[in-house]
Amino acid sequence: MFLILVYDVGEKRVGKVLKICRKYLNWVQNSVLEGEITEAALRRLKLELKRAIDEKEDSVIFYILRTTKYSEREILGVKKGGDEVII
Amino acid sequence: MFLILVYDVGEKRVGKVLKICRKYLNWVQNSVLEGEITEAALRRLKLELKRAIDEKEDSVIFYILRTTKYSEREILGVKKGGDEVII
């Protein structure tokens, strides 16, 4: 499945959250990562993030796409992330 | 169709970009908006954003989902946006 992850976390935790996310996903843009991921890897990612964030202050959203057949991605302006993107 | 929009724009343009996006979509989190949108409205949104951003510096990504049948959305931590969210 394809995952789009966006996060809005406190300054002190941004570095740690980004480091965790980059183990699983491709950095696309400021506080946005995406990529193919398995159910098991998604579970591990969530667990690691749960420990890293302050659940009363921070917010992480997972957009899970079971298939990318019905979705597309367009960019306006500069492309900031790498080329590993699939949809 | 459902749209997830993420933007990474220069400080001077953030206010204007957010104002434009909020006419069409629901604010979900820092630099992330989403919502149902028609083809015509998406064209207008892109045109307005094209005029507002610096295409050499800024980046706006449109994730267009033709259907939300194969996607889901999960949140870890606080829910920052409103309740108009559909998927």
Side-chain angles (χ1 to χ4, degrees):
Chain A
M1 61 193 159
F2 190 81
L3 176 67
I4 302 160
L5 183 150
V6 295
Y7 61 78
D8 185 353
V9 303
E11 199 63 44
K12 287 171 292 180
R13 291 176 293 281
V14 167
K16 194 171 181 187
V17 165
L18 179 55
K19 200 172 165 201
I20 290 169
C21 293
R22 289 191 97 142
K23 291 194 297 185
Y24 298 87
L25 299 168
N26 306 306
W27 182 86
V28 173
Q29 192 192 83
N30 185 20
S31 66
V32 180
L33 298 102
E34 61 175 48
E36 284 293 326
I37 193 167
T38 62
E39 296 272 359
L42 179 56
R43 269 196 303 275
R44 284 198 308 274
L45 171 58
K46 282 185 199 167
L47 214 62
E48 289 189 55
L49 287 175
K50 210 172 168 55
R51 285 191 212 116
I53 68 168
D54 174 342
E55 290 200 56
K56 287 189 282 329
E57 235 189 78
D58 301 336
S59 172
V60 181
I61 303 179
F62 305 86
Y63 293 100
I64 300 159
L65 279 60
R66 298 281 158 207
T67 168
T68 53
K69 223 166 82 179
Y70 303 98
S71 51
E72 57 201 80
R73 177 183 184 280
E74 292 176 27
I75 297 181
L76 190 58
V78 291
K79 192 166 101 56
K80 297 200 171 187
D83 286 327
E84 310 78 348
V85 175
I86 291 162
I87 60 171
Chain B
M1 62 194 158
F2 190 81
L3 176 68
I4 302 160
L5 183 150
V6 296
Y7 60 79
D8 185 352
V9 303
E11 197 64 44
K12 287 171 292 179
R13 292 176 294 281
V14 166
K16 195 171 180 187
V17 166
L18 178 57
K19 201 171 163 204
I20 291 170
C21 293
R22 288 191 96 142
K23 291 194 297 185
Y24 299 86
L25 299 167
N26 307 305
W27 183 87
V28 173
Q29 191 192 82
N30 185 21
S31 67
V32 180
L33 298 102
E34 62 174 49
E36 283 293 325
I37 193 167
T38 62
E39 297 270 0
L42 178 56
R43 270 195 303 273
R44 284 198 307 274
L45 171 57
K46 283 183 196 167
L47 215 61
E48 290 190 54
L49 286 175
K50 210 171 167 57
R51 286 192 210 116
I53 68 168
D54 174 342
E55 290 199 56
K56 287 188 286 323
E57 239 188 74
D58 300 336
S59 173
V60 181
I61 303 178
F62 305 86
Y63 294 100
I64 300 158
L65 279 58
R66 298 282 158 206
T67 169
T68 53
K69 225 165 82 179
Y70 303 98
S71 51
E72 58 204 77
R73 176 183 184 282
E74 291 176 27
I75 297 181
L76 191 57
V78 291
K79 191 165 100 60
K80 297 200 171 187
D83 285 327
E84 313 79 348
V85 175
I86 291 162
I87 63 170

